[in-house]
Amino acid sequence: MDSDHSAVARARARLADTPDAHLVEGDVLTSSELDDRRFDLITCVATLHHMPLIIALERMRELLAPGGSLRIVGLSANKTVIDRLVAGALVLPVRVASTIHRESGYPGMTTEQPRESLADIRRAAATVLPGSRIHRRFYYRYTLDWTKPL
């Protein structure tokens, strides 16, 4: 599910030959199509910062089946001195990795800068998803892992 038409169109093209792939253009926060469904796995890749943090985490928690897993690769804002020091130390390895992988931007897709720092995200996750694990990663990214209790 994605609200960005271009992203959904690209995903449909890539998954055209994949049986059982169901793509929905819509908003996870407001789509009534999801209201009666529960999922064993919900993933978000560079998506959470496009939504209100607490509301999005609560909605995903609600949509998970008991024992289901939430896996997020997110982007955080550099707001603290520690954030900036870590980001500065990673500039060279990130630039080298980007060059090696021939990375480019996302033409035609909606992008947005993250608003919350990693500390903000940790606090929100601790409240909404007790026991979640968050790790800082390259490219201003973090991973969040949580399993809904049975």
Side-chain angles (χ1 to χ4, degrees):
M1 173 172 269
D2 199 309
S3 60
D4 185 304
H5 177 75
S6 178
V8 173
R10 286 181 178 188
R12 283 193 173 121
R14 279 196 306 256
L15 297 171
D17 297 327
T18 304
D20 300 326
H22 179 69
L23 298 162
V24 176
E25 186 174 333
D27 185 336
V28 69
L29 299 180
T30 60
S31 176
S32 60
E33 182 173 336
L34 302 176
D35 289 347
D36 296 327
R37 300 187 64 190
R38 294 299 170 263
F39 299 89
D40 294 324
L41 174 66
I42 295 175
T43 62
C44 289
V45 178
T47 305
L48 191 58
H49 68 283
H50 289 261
M51 300 178 260
L53 179 62
I54 299 281
I55 293 168
L57 292 176
E58 290 171 341
R59 174 69 165 159
M60 287 181 255
R61 180 188 65 201
E62 170 190 315
L63 292 171
L64 274 176
S69 297
L70 176 60
R71 302 290 181 253
I72 295 172
V73 177
L75 281 69
S76 60
N78 290 327
K79 288 188 172 182
T80 68
V81 171
I82 299 280
D83 291 338
R84 289 184 178 93
L85 287 173
V86 169
L90 294 175
V91 166
L92 183 58
V94 164
R95 298 279 188 218
V96 169
S98 293
T99 301
I100 289 169
H101 293 107
R102 295 184 186 124
E103 292 178 1
S104 61
Y106 302 96
M109 295 172 105
T110 303
T111 60
E112 186 171 321
Q113 293 298 312
R115 294 174 299 280
E116 293 90 6
S117 69
L118 191 59
D120 297 332
I121 295 162
R122 286 183 195 277
R123 279 190 296 276
T127 300
V128 178
L129 310 169
S132 58
R133 294 175 311 281
I134 298 178
H135 300 283
R136 186 187 299 268
R137 305 292 183 193
F138 277 166
Y139 298 100
Y140 315 103
R141 291 188 173 107
Y142 64 90
T143 55
L144 183 153
D145 298 311
W146 183 69
T147 301
K148 187 174 187 173
L150 293 172

